[in-house]
Amino acid sequence: MKFSKYNIIVPKEQDYIIYNTLTGSIIKINSEQYTTNNKELIETGMVVGDDTDELLLYKYKYDGLLYRTTDLDITIATTMNCNLKCPYCFEGENKCAENMTRDVADAIIKFILSKKNKKISICWFGGEPLMNYGIIDYISSQLISSQIEFNAIIISNGTILNDKIIKTIDLFRIRNVQISLDGKRETHNTKRFFSNSQGTYDLILDNVTKLLEKTMIQVLLKINIDRNNMSEFGELYKELNERYENYILRGRLKIMTNYIRNKTNFSGCESCMEDVEYNKFRKKYFKEVDLPQLAPPSPIRCVSSIIIGPDGNIYKCLDLLGEKEKSIGKITKFNASISKQSNYALRYGPFENNECRECLVLPICGGGCPLEREQSIKANKKMKCPEVKYSIKQKIMEVYENLYLKKNVN
């Protein structure tokens, strides 16, 4: 027997707090009990057989998800057009006024019908997807009339949620909607406004209220954080909790955060945050008690995940949406390049990188973003590792203390 290569040990006085990144187990034992014949260590996967190749074990699980064909996760961009001009939008110049047509919608319907035995999840995306809501109506109605089981979500800026749309939300099996804010009213309105410079803060929250009152949908209210607005988050968080207290308690509304990344060198990108800054910010406001679990492959690698642009081009990553030269095929032709798919799935993988192969956090990191890995390799630069690699021991300590306190209280 031997110790798992994925044990991370945090000494505490005479004890060890041990977390295994492959099994997700966390235990506390006396340091003298850290032996290869310890029954608890064997049961939790912290001690394994001499012939166990744990890297291969993780790769087996990773590849199983990569090639899983029981699901279909399809993102449908009904339009690349948007009624707002957020400066940091990752789509940048790839946004255009193109709307999806019935011909493309019919091809999507035909494709989904051919996958009717799979677990189907649809994400309505854009641009602003509600600017072409007729296509959402058409595709959803056709799938329902064909007795296709599916669930849907929608990512929207929240400004076009009129009564007509709201009435069909539950009918079209849309289970949640993700809507973003960029800070408190004044800050938000400097970033998310209409062509006439009118701000959108009050309109968005009024529409969120309508959604909660008139549908069964869950609202994911995502606050975009950068260095300029992070100081006001506490006040905004309190304001939203007071406004939607009952819905938050019932799980109908969830407040989330995300940090703005510099993907397009937009004006003001100097206010973007790094991983370390953002995680420090989150720790201040969110008492998270969970350790990261086994990382699946990025959707760009997975057979089950595709993105359809308004013109019918098929993509493997939202960051590539609109870059037609990076499309893997056309839904209207019902084909996709196996060569391009295999490149996205298998090239620049973490299992070919010596540093990743030996890294203790690989099972909870998964190798990071494949596109960033490709860019680093082509530029002959070392890929930046995720922040969890450097903070995992502190996180282990915090999680264990939280569990220990709960155990003693109970």
Side-chain angles (χ1 to χ4, degrees), residues 121-220:
S121 300
I122 298 173
C123 174
W124 301 108
F125 193 74
E128 170 48 53
L130 297 181
M131 292 187 73
N132 193 12
Y133 192 72
I135 286 295
I136 298 177
D137 186 321
Y138 179 68
I139 294 176
S140 301
S141 297
Q142 292 295 313
L143 294 178
I144 290 169
S145 66
S146 298
Q147 298 183 324
I148 299 297
E149 292 296 323
F150 70 95
N151 287 316
I153 65 172
I154 189 165
I155 298 176
S156 169
N157 62 38
T159 63
I160 315 180
L161 285 160
N162 57 45
D163 289 340
K164 180 181 178 181
I165 291 173
I166 287 175
K167 285 180 181 178
T168 61
I169 288 286
D170 291 329
L171 175 65
F172 292 156
R173 302 177 186 172
I174 299 173
R175 302 303 184 227
N176 68 56
V177 57
Q178 178 180 298
I179 298 173
S180 295
L181 292 177
D182 280 346
K184 294 181 66 179
R185 178 184 287 103
E186 183 177 351
T187 301
H188 172 95
N189 286 342
T190 63
K191 295 183 179 182
R192 291 185 173 241
F193 49 84
F194 296 113
S195 58
N196 63 0
S197 299
Q198 179 183 348
T200 60
Y201 183 88
D202 292 319
L203 174 62
I204 289 172
L205 290 187
D206 286 346
N207 285 340
V208 167
T209 300
K210 288 181 185 178
L211 275 173
L212 293 169
E213 290 177 346
K214 298 181 179 181
T215 75
M216 295 303 295
I217 200 170
Q218 180 188 46
V219 177
L220 306 178

Side-chain angles (χ1 to χ4, degrees), residues 215-401:
T215 75
M216 295 303 295
I217 200 170
Q218 180 188 46
V219 177
L220 306 178
L221 201 52
K222 185 179 72 173
I223 316 300
N224 292 320
I225 302 296
D226 61 20
R227 291 169 184 161
N228 291 335
N229 70 4
M230 61 186 294
S231 61
E232 65 186 45
F233 175 78
E235 292 180 33
L236 175 60
Y237 189 63
K238 180 180 178 182
E239 175 188 326
L240 294 173
N241 271 275
E242 290 175 350
R243 180 167 181 165
Y244 298 112
E245 181 180 11
N246 290 334
Y247 291 108
I248 291 172
L249 290 173
R250 288 155 50 194
R252 291 284 314 285
L253 184 138
K254 183 177 180 180
I255 299 173
M256 308 165 61
T257 61
N258 183 43
Y259 65 108
I260 298 173
R261 299 162 176 81
N262 180 19
K263 293 189 175 182
T264 57
N265 281 324
F266 63 91
S267 176
C269 65
E270 62 278 358
S271 66
C272 290
M273 300 179 75
E274 298 291 337
D275 287 354
V276 174
E277 293 175 278
Y278 178 64
N279 285 318
K280 184 177 180 181
F281 157 82
R282 281 195 61 82
K283 185 178 176 182
K284 180 178 179 181
Y285 292 102
F286 298 94
K287 306 301 181 184
E288 297 167 326
V289 295
D290 295 327
L291 284 161
Q293 298 298 300
L294 204 68
S298 168
I300 193 174
R301 299 192 186 278
C302 295
V303 172
S304 63
S305 178
I306 61 168
I307 298 148
I308 313 294
D311 59 356
N313 273 304
I314 307 171
Y315 301 91
K316 290 297 294 179
C317 178
L318 287 176
D319 284 359
L320 304 179
L321 184 61
E323 296 185 46
K324 298 184 180 183
E325 70 280 4
K326 296 181 179 178
S327 162
I328 65 168
K330 197 91 169 180
I331 196 70
T332 48
K333 295 181 179 179
F334 218 61
N335 72 347
S337 166
I338 296 296
S339 174
K340 288 184 177 180
Q341 289 185 80
S342 62
N343 280 340
Y344 284 125
L346 302 174
R347 293 189 72 185
Y348 309 108
F351 300 102
E352 287 73 49
N353 180 281
N354 287 333
E355 184 177 354
C356 290
R357 288 171 61 89
E358 298 303 319
C359 183
L360 295 181
V361 302
L362 176 62
I364 57 175
C365 159
C369 171
L371 293 182
E372 291 180 2
R373 178 177 289 276
E374 178 182 359
Q375 291 168 1
S376 298
I377 291 173
K378 288 183 175 179
N380 199 27
K381 293 181 179 178
K382 184 179 183 300
M383 182 175 174
K384 184 179 178 182
C385 291
E387 192 269 341
V388 68
K389 180 175 181 177
Y390 311 104
S391 63
I392 187 63
K393 288 191 174 183
Q394 180 182 352
K395 184 73 171 174
I396 291 168
M397 197 67 189
E398 291 171 355
V399 168
Y400 184 81
E401 287 178 347

Side-chain angles (χ1 to χ4, degrees), residues 55-73:
L55 179 65
L56 200 61
L57 178 57
Y58 173 54
K59 189 176 187 302
Y60 179 78
K61 294 180 178 181
Y62 181 99
D63 287 351
L65 295 173
L66 191 153
Y67 296 114
R68 183 173 60 188
T69 58
T70 55
D71 299 354
L72 173 63
D73 296 314

Side-chain angles (χ1 to χ4, degrees), residues 7-47:
N7 289 347
I8 297 180
I9 301 172
V10 182
K12 182 175 174 62
E13 298 174 352
Q14 303 301 315
D15 297 322
Y16 284 163
I17 299 171
I18 312 167
Y19 170 62
N20 187 280
T21 58
L22 184 61
T23 65
S25 300
I26 181 170
I27 63 171
K28 177 183 177 183
I29 62 172
N30 185 278
S31 57
E32 294 181 357
Q33 295 177 310
Y34 191 66
T35 63
T36 55
N37 60 3
N38 183 296
K39 184 177 179 181
E40 187 176 12
L41 294 178
I42 295 171
E43 290 175 348
T44 54
M46 296 179 181
V47 168

